[in-house]
Amino acid sequence: MGYSIPKQNAISYGPDALRSFHGYIFEWIDNLHFTQAPSAFVGSQAAAYTAAAKDRFLAMGWEGDGDIELLWLPPFVFRFDAGIKPEGLVLWHVKQEEDGVSFLLSPVQLPFEAFRHDGGGSFVDQPSSGTT
């Protein structure tokens, strides 16, 4: 197998940092074969990270069902000038069981404005296209 960063290096922030993450809601992420349990990456702190993510997801409208997991995005899905490290980006994800809606938390703003959520029960207003 080729080189991969150690799992414990994939997340470089503490659980409290999730409070400032950008929130997104998307219908539907149906391929969960590439999601991972947080415990594999943060070990004994998994409960603290999961609790912080749970608080954010609930504030976004999540109904509390489904498993909180990690989802990796490779750096090439971003514009080069976005400054994403070569290791890519780890998102926090939960798929709501009742309707299949996915909730995401990202340490950086993602290039998916239509799915951005302010955490207060509404989507972020989109900038005007300049036409009326």
Side-chain angles (χ1 to χ4, degrees):
M1 182 165 120
Y3 173 78
S4 183
I5 66 168
K7 286 184 177 182
Q8 65 270 18
N9 292 355
I11 296 177
S12 61
Y13 47 81
D16 290 338
L18 275 77
R19 292 184 188 140
S20 64
F21 278 24
H22 302 272
Y24 299 85
I25 298 174
F26 184 77
E27 297 177 323
W28 291 274
I29 297 175
D30 288 337
N31 186 349
L32 302 180
H33 299 289
F34 299 96
T35 58
Q36 297 280 318
S39 60
F41 294 82
V42 296
S44 63
Q45 291 189 331
Y49 279 93
T50 301
K54 180 178 180 177
D55 288 346
R56 285 294 313 281
F57 290 140
L58 288 169
M60 293 168 59
W62 176 49
E63 295 176 1
D65 59 353
D67 297 323
I68 295 174
E69 297 179 306
L70 303 176
L71 176 68
W72 178 71
L73 296 179
F76 59 78
V77 301
F78 298 93
R79 292 175 44 109
F80 180 74
D81 60 2
I84 303 300
K85 294 180 182 180
E87 295 85 20
L89 189 66
V90 176
L91 305 181
W92 291 81
H93 169 265
V94 66
K95 182 177 177 116
Q96 190 159 263
E97 291 177 5
E98 187 268 325
D99 58 8
V101 172
S102 284
F103 294 80
L104 301 159
L105 295 174
S106 172
V108 301
Q109 189 168 334
L110 299 175
F112 314 122
E113 283 298 313
F115 309 114
R116 200 168 97 201
H117 193 278
D118 69 3
S122 63
F123 288 94
V124 174
D125 289 335
Q126 302 303 306
S128 172
S129 65
T131 59
T132 57

